[in-house]
Amino acid sequence: MQNSGVLLYQSLLPGISNVTLRMRYYGYYCWLSETYARKGATNDFEAWRSWVRRAEALYALVSAQAGETGVGGIDWANRRLAAADRIVDFEAAASTDPAQERYLRQSLGVFGGAYYSQMVEMGLFTENRHGIQVATRDLGRRAATLFADAIGPDLAKLLRAKIADARVSLRELERLEPIIPSGIGSDSEERLFYETLLFARGEAAQKSAPSRAATLALILDTARVRDACPGPDQVRWHLFDPPQIALPGDLEAQRLNWEAYQCQDLMQIACAALLAWAIAIINSAPQGRSLPEIRAEIVAHLEAHEDGGFSASWRDLRLGLDSTDFAYEDAWDRLTSARGAVADKAVQAITLMAALHQRIADRSDLAAAVAEGLSDRGSAHSLRTESFWLEQREGEAVIDLIADYMLERVVRRHSWVAMQKLRRQRDYTFLFEQREARLVYLAAYQPVATTPRLQPAIQFLADIHLLDENGPTARGLAALEAAQ
């Protein structure tokens, strides 16, 4: 269920991920690639990796000295600076030797683990025939040039020398401060390039870029309405309900995609709450529970909730709910909270599932967005597949339908998915296992929302001076108007 949501939000914010934390890294890496190519580099991948790792370690040291955040290796850098050495030798820390205290363990640092794939998505990077990642001839080299121009030739020369030496003094760290992520000049060509790139205004924009541009405009619109810099959850809920005054065509279409995503995430949280309940039932007996015993426990608990309308049919339950005024956010908060009894949360989850089913039935525009954004093929489960299953049996009493749903779509499904992970990835993720026809508890589960890249996107807008604590800046309002 989570994977379906991840695939959907990836299409809504291409070029940005949950681990690409600062915009300026994109220009820095392009500059690194061009500088490496011009300093007589070979096609030896190990030499390229050493160059990248040294550059990242130095960037962390400079950022730590300046009190910056969102930089890979910053914890290591703070520890090194706390040692109060006048000269910081970071050659060993930038190596791949596991015996050393490395700034990061990932082989190719945050470049390989986070940024490279997203820069490929944006058209900034590609891979040459020797397997070395290189900045593209058009956008990549342009980004490299603008970064170099922004920091100036003297600082670029010092930066290049310190990466090669893998040694830097505290005074040199202070001199290098203009390279930090928040150092993008408000009136610089570098800043304008990033804005043009993010909002897909250039001729070389990738096919996926308009989707990213529309989402960034929606974030700015959320900030405009709130007169503040919004958090990711505030953006989610702002985009969840159709506005009283319709947004321009492309933005409303994208807002609808975000509404479909939020409905998907609500459904996966509800299903996760049912999984948590099933696990609690299994754990309630030392010897575990059989499937008939689990079903009997589910039926007994739901029968005790006479005020829930569970003796009626699923169709009657969903039709009796107002899918517009339903307290979705309250349900979200309760189901994702660590507090509360899992059996009571399951009751809330069932009602939430019915409200989501009815919301799709009431809204043809939302149903179309769900159908377009979520596949009904293959083995994946999603809001779309679960709504279809419920609709096929909506004439049945809720108690019987949910009891069957939990056994078929939750308990057995978990075992199937865990088995696939064991076979394909050698990863043991079973939360319960079968022993002599009984399911025995292994671990509990807490419903968790997916994280749809909104926090980095908000930070990127702040990095390029389109957003601050008071909402959109004058430049941000201009970018929003242009997007409309």
Side-chain angles (χ1 to χ4, degrees):
M1 288 290 288
Q2 287 180 342
N3 287 344
S4 295
V6 169
L7 290 174
L8 181 51
Y9 77 60
Q10 285 176 343
S11 70
L12 302 180
L13 261 173
I16 301 173
S17 80
N18 286 317
V19 286
T20 55
L21 303 182
R22 302 302 295 265
M23 179 79 251
R24 206 177 198 187
Y25 261 122
Y26 288 50
Y28 183 52
Y29 285 129
C30 290
W31 177 85
L32 283 178
S33 173
E34 285 298 285
T35 303
Y36 178 80
R38 292 174 180 175
K39 74 179 186 71
T42 69
N43 290 318
D44 179 11
F45 184 83
E46 291 301 320
W48 162 244
R49 178 164 59 182
S50 176
W51 175 255
V52 170
R53 290 182 64 83
R54 289 184 178 195
E56 288 189 353
L58 179 58
Y59 203 58
L61 288 166
V62 175
S63 298
Q65 179 79 356
E68 196 79 330
T69 60
V71 177
I74 199 75
D75 291 338
W76 163 84
N78 282 322
R79 290 194 301 271
R80 287 299 301 268
L81 293 179
D85 296 329
R86 293 180 59 188
I87 302 294
V88 180
D89 186 330
F90 54 93
E91 180 178 7
S95 73
T96 56
D97 183 357
Q100 302 294 331
E101 184 189 4
R102 295 168 289 174
Y103 80 99
L104 282 177
R105 289 181 294 178
Q106 293 95 326
S107 174
L108 203 53
V110 288
F111 170 77
Y115 285 87
Y116 172 65
S117 62
Q118 302 308 314
M119 290 189 293
V120 170
E121 181 71 41
M122 284 197 177
L124 294 171
F125 260 82
T126 187
E127 188 175 283
N128 70 14
R129 60 190 180 90
H130 298 284
I132 293 176
Q133 300 88 351
V134 295
T136 55
R137 293 182 178 180
D138 42 16
L139 286 178
R141 288 182 179 176
R142 177 66 175 156
T145 298
L146 292 175
F147 178 85
D149 290 346
I151 65 175
D154 292 341
L155 212 60
K157 182 179 180 181
L158 176 63
L159 179 59
R160 181 172 62 249
K162 295 296 97 179
I163 295 172
D165 294 344
R167 290 168 56 87
V168 65
S169 69
L170 297 181
R171 184 177 179 182
E172 287 167 334
L173 289 178
E174 292 176 355
R175 284 186 59 196
L176 289 168
E177 184 173 332
I179 75 171
I180 63 176
S182 61
I184 300 171
S186 60
D187 296 317
S188 67
E189 288 295 317
E190 182 192 15
R191 189 211 68 79
L192 181 59
F193 173 83
Y194 294 140
E195 180 180 335
T196 301
L197 182 69
L198 289 173
F199 284 87
R201 297 186 193 134
E203 295 181 0
Q206 304 297 296
K207 292 182 179 180
S208 61
S211 182
R212 176 182 63 250
T215 293
L216 293 173
L218 289 171
I219 294 172
L220 289 173
D221 185 63
T222 304
R224 178 188 61 80
V225 171
R226 299 182 64 86
D227 286 326
C229 183
D233 286 350
Q234 291 169 332
V235 174
R236 280 179 179 242
W237 291 112
H238 178 74
L239 302 181
F240 184 62
D241 289 318
Q244 292 183 350
I245 301 176
L247 295 168
D250 290 344
L251 291 191
E252 174 55 25
Q254 189 74 340
R255 186 211 64 78
L256 194 59
N257 290 331
W258 276 101
E259 182 182 352
Y261 160 75
Q262 185 71 346
C263 287
Q264 156 66 29
D265 219 29
L266 284 163
M267 179 62 87
Q268 77 88 5
I269 287 171
C271 292
L274 297 184
L275 173 62
W277 184 26
I279 293 172
I281 293 172
I282 292 169
N283 192 35
S284 63
Q287 72 278 18
R289 295 276 196 161
S290 66
L291 289 177
E293 288 172 346
I294 295 172
R295 192 183 194 284
E297 184 73 21
I298 294 168
V299 169
H301 186 76
L302 296 182
E303 285 177 340
H305 283 265
E306 297 178 358
D307 57 343
F310 298 149
S311 59
S313 70
W314 180 262
R315 176 179 173 80
D316 289 339
L317 175 63
R318 68 175 179 84
L319 287 175
L321 296 171
D322 187 331
S323 67
T324 301
D325 291 336
F326 185 83
Y328 294 99
E329 192 167 358
D330 289 344
W332 166 286
D333 290 340
R334 185 179 180 189
L335 295 182
T336 56
S337 172
R339 298 181 177 182
V342 290
D344 293 336
K345 288 184 179 181
V347 172
Q348 174 78 69
I350 293 166
T351 308
L352 173 58
M353 292 168 69
L356 291 167
H357 189 183
Q358 187 60 34
R359 190 179 182 100
I360 297 172
D362 288 340
R363 297 263 307 283
S364 59
D365 58 343
L366 177 60
V370 169
E372 182 177 353
L374 298 168
S375 175
D376 62 349
R377 300 178 180 179
S379 60
H381 282 198
S382 68
L383 168 66
R384 191 176 178 188
T385 63
E386 304 314 279
S387 297
F388 179 77
W389 190 95
L390 294 168
E391 187 172 344
Q392 293 297 106
R393 300 181 56 173
E394 66 176 9
E396 299 179 20
V398 175
I399 294 174
D400 291 326
L401 179 144
I402 291 298
D404 289 347
Y405 182 90
M406 286 187 62
L407 293 188
E408 178 181 336
R409 311 286 289 185
V410 178
V411 174
R412 288 195 175 103
R413 175 67 178 182
H414 168 70
S415 296
W416 184 86
V417 171
M419 182 58 70
Q420 302 313 305
K421 290 184 178 180
L422 181 62
R423 288 174 175 172
R424 298 173 184 176
Q425 304 171 20
R426 303 300 179 191
D427 189 10
Y428 195 87
T429 59
F430 289 87
L431 299 176
F432 50 82
E433 60 185 17
Q434 185 169 336
R435 300 175 189 171
E436 298 180 355
R438 303 185 74 81
L439 299 179
V440 179
Y441 171 88
L442 294 177
Y445 186 76
Q446 170 65 34
V448 177
T450 57
T451 310
R453 302 180 170 183
L454 288 171
Q455 184 59 60
I458 293 168
Q459 182 62 59
F460 278 24
L461 292 173
D463 284 346
I464 62 172
H465 305 282
L466 300 187
L467 193 61
D468 62 22
E469 66 275 9
N470 298 315
T473 63
R475 284 192 176 88
L477 290 174
L480 177 56
E481 183 178 354
Q484 296 176 338

